[in-house]
Amino acid sequence: MELHCFVGHKAHRIALALAMVEFGAGACVCQQPASSPIAFEVASVKPFSKDISSYPPSKIGPHVYPVRASYIGMSLKSLIVYAYGVNVRQVIGPGWIDTVRYVIEAKFPEGATGKDEKRMLQELLKARFNLAFHIEKKDVTAYQLVVSKQGAKLKPFTEGWSGTNKEAPLRPGERWVGDGPEKHKELFTSDAARMVKHVESSRVTMSALARALTAILDDSGDTRLVIDRTGLEGYYQVSIDYSAPQARATAGGDAVGALPSDPQGTEVLDRSLDALGLKLELQKGPVDLYVIDHAEQPSDN
């Protein structure tokens, strides 16, 4: 069975969602301690000039190293999602924040570590994009990611397990993510014959999984939010299959849209979640929305 690495805007969103691991930074500016803010020692912000649809997903997104960080091909919305640990559908603002992409290269000040990185990125967004927002609560119908009655069947991430073997060669569609003890592998492939996509990570939180599931469902045309209600802390090994959308052809033969290959919509995904002891429940409830009050496109520097 031939496997092909899949690329494109949706694949990048799923990869980015899985990459959003928490280093201890607060989820909201208003919840930060009243201490002095910490900022990057120096940072450059430039437009991303590549064609995102043909750019390798492994290159897109945040790349955090011991003394510096790079943010490649990320829109302001994806930067907000990453910096504040929220879901992409919780951020409300002008259209350009989701379409204009940037390359940011930043250096940590002396004494700063990866645990400070998200707070420094938050300060950069305020300083360079003049970002200001407020939080509103709104009742929305959303998927709740919960533990099934049979209990969770998740394997915790353990440093040194086979998925983090640095000697093993990378498989097609696989990449290394993170650095130091957080370093782990992620895999993105597509089985063209079965019209099934495969996403795998050896180190992911349940909140990051919920964000990835939002992108996965959006790939099939379901735009509802997925919220983590598992109550599970820490990092886990996760493997997900889901139906790839099929192009819908007109009478003239041109593809005009996408339809899920799975007639039931989420049957393949549901089976993957069931194997992890998880499930999605559709419910209405309050959700925090991050409403952009002001943002500007930064100058090229």
Side-chain angles (χ1 to χ4, degrees):
M1 180 167 56
E2 186 178 7
L3 293 176
H4 305 274
C5 178
F6 68 89
V7 295
H9 177 65
K10 300 294 176 59
H12 292 119
R13 283 185 52 194
I14 296 167
L16 177 60
L18 286 175
M20 292 176 190
V21 294
E22 292 76 9
F23 293 100
C28 168
V29 171
C30 58
Q31 296 173 352
Q32 297 285 340
S35 57
S36 299
I38 183 170
F40 291 120
E41 180 177 313
V42 63
S44 67
V45 181
K46 298 180 179 180
F48 179 73
S49 57
K50 306 287 186 179
D51 177 5
I52 191 70
S53 64
S54 61
Y55 208 69
S58 61
K59 302 293 185 181
I60 296 294
H63 302 271
V64 182
Y65 306 99
V67 296
R68 65 182 180 88
S70 299
Y71 309 91
I72 309 298
M74 296 179 69
S75 65
L76 177 55
K77 177 180 278 191
S78 63
L79 288 164
I80 295 169
V81 166
Y82 173 73
Y84 293 97
V86 298
N87 199 298
V88 67
R89 298 208 171 277
Q90 291 176 264
V91 180
I92 309 299
W96 69 266
I97 70 170
D98 199 25
T99 57
V100 182
R101 295 176 180 272
Y102 301 92
V103 175
I104 300 175
E105 299 287 349
K107 181 182 177 181
F108 295 177
E110 185 176 355
T113 68
K115 294 185 182 296
D116 304 306
E117 176 256 342
K118 289 192 178 181
R119 285 198 296 137
M120 292 190 287
L121 179 57
Q122 291 171 7
E123 290 300 316
L124 181 144
L125 297 181
K126 290 188 288 184
R128 304 293 283 274
F129 290 83
N130 287 319
L131 176 66
F133 64 85
H134 69 277
I135 299 175
E136 294 180 2
K137 280 196 177 292
K138 183 178 180 181
D139 282 343
V140 300
T141 299
Y143 290 104
Q144 316 288 316
L145 178 64
V146 299
V147 176
S148 64
K149 292 181 179 179
Q150 292 75 24
K153 306 171 189 175
L154 293 156
K155 294 181 180 179
F157 167 81
T158 53
E159 189 179 355
W161 80 290
S162 60
T164 60
N165 184 356
K166 297 178 178 58
E167 302 301 324
L170 293 175
R171 295 170 287 171
E174 193 171 40
R175 66 170 182 167
W176 283 108
V177 179
D179 193 76
E182 289 87 17
K183 189 172 184 179
H184 63 285
K185 290 180 179 179
E186 290 179 357
L187 175 69
F188 301 86
T189 59
S190 181
D191 182 346
R194 295 171 54 232
M195 290 300 294
V196 171
K197 293 183 180 181
H198 179 76
V199 181
E200 189 176 309
S201 176
S202 61
R203 184 181 188 272
V204 64
T205 63
M206 291 298 97
S207 59
L209 176 60
R211 289 190 287 268
L213 289 171
T214 297
I216 286 171
L217 291 171
D218 186 63
D219 198 8
S220 296
D222 190 334
T223 60
R224 285 171 289 203
L225 185 68
V226 179
I227 303 170
D228 172 31
R229 294 284 189 257
T230 62
L232 299 174
E233 303 292 339
Y235 299 91
Y236 298 91
Q237 304 167 35
V238 169
S239 179
I240 294 289
D241 289 333
Y242 71 100
S243 297
Q246 300 181 69
R248 180 180 58 195
T250 63
D254 297 326
V256 295
L259 293 173
S261 60
D262 178 1
Q264 301 303 316
T266 60
E267 183 179 335
V268 174
L269 177 60
D270 289 343
R271 285 199 299 267
S272 288
L273 291 176
D274 184 64
L276 300 173
L278 304 173
K279 64 177 181 177
L280 295 175
E281 294 182 344
L282 200 57
Q283 298 179 11
K284 188 170 185 178
V287 171
D288 285 340
L289 298 180
Y290 289 63
V291 182
I292 307 301
D293 297 313
H294 183 80
E296 299 175 5
Q297 298 186 40
S299 57
D300 183 1
N301 53 47

